[in-house]
Amino acid sequence: PNLPFTFKRPADWTVQTQAQLTDQSSESLGSFGMTLYAPGTLEEGSGYGGTQLRAGATIVVSVNAKPDYKSIDAYSGSGFDAINREKTNVTVAGQPAVEYLYAFEGPRRIYTHFFKDGKQYTLYYETRWNEQNLKTGDNYKVYQDLVKSFTLK
């Protein structure tokens, strides 16, 4: 698909896309998802349903139409703070964004969200379900580099 963004990633991370596009124009992008897998990533069934990581890491990049949210401030005020920890204000692709740790009954993730032109951009990093500190290691550095290099076209 013709994506409205670019980013840098290591060549040895594999990519799987789940595109739901009405046409190839970024103007009509309804939703899009892309998962990047670190070398050696292993998934297994989770007691909570779905899957969890036994080894490795994933990074997900998604775009969804959110015409009701014009800014990260509106999103952050919608009950969002009740379940999210370690919230930090950051900038991604020149846009105000929020980054936070999510760890509730299963996956432990670091999310980064921002809004632009009626779309919500979400990037998140997930590692092994029992990882105590998500912000360490080479895979976390890949996530940081991806977020820093994320650019809107």
Side-chain angles (χ1 to χ4, degrees):
N2 181 20
L3 301 177
F5 55 81
T6 61
F7 57 81
K8 295 179 183 173
R9 69 172 174 88
D12 60 348
W13 281 58
T14 58
V15 178
Q16 177 184 351
T17 61
Q18 303 91 26
Q20 299 174 353
L21 303 173
T22 55
D23 72 33
Q24 295 297 312
S25 161
S26 62
E27 292 301 314
S28 63
L29 187 64
S31 66
F32 174 82
M34 170 186 289
T35 305
L36 294 83
Y37 294 88
T41 296
L42 296 173
E43 293 180 305
E44 64 185 7
S46 164
Y48 301 104
T51 60
Q52 64 189 15
L53 298 181
R54 193 171 95 191
T58 60
I59 296 172
V60 172
V61 178
S62 68
V63 182
N64 292 287
K66 294 282 187 180
D68 294 340
Y69 294 110
K70 304 296 183 210
S71 71
I72 196 65
D73 294 331
Y75 178 75
S76 294
S78 62
F80 158 92
D81 293 322
I83 59 168
N84 302 300
R85 306 288 185 263
E86 300 178 28
K87 185 177 129 187
T88 306
N89 293 320
V90 296
T91 301
V92 179
Q95 304 301 309
V98 64
E99 181 177 280
Y100 60 91
L101 170 66
Y102 178 89
F104 181 75
E105 293 185 355
R108 295 176 50 81
R109 298 176 177 154
I110 296 173
Y111 279 88
T112 307
H113 292 287
F114 71 93
F115 292 85
K116 174 80 173 162
D117 299 331
K119 294 177 180 65
Q120 176 184 17
Y121 293 81
T122 301
L123 302 98
Y124 75 75
Y125 167 73
E126 181 177 347
T127 189
R128 296 174 317 192
W129 68 271
N130 61 350
E131 184 72 41
Q132 294 301 309
N133 186 353
L134 273 69
K135 296 184 177 184
T136 61
D138 291 340
N139 291 333
Y140 178 64
K141 182 174 180 344
V142 169
Y143 179 70
Q144 287 180 304
D145 291 346
L146 185 144
V147 170
K148 288 176 188 172
S149 70
F150 196 89
T151 305
L152 297 174
K153 292 183 182 175

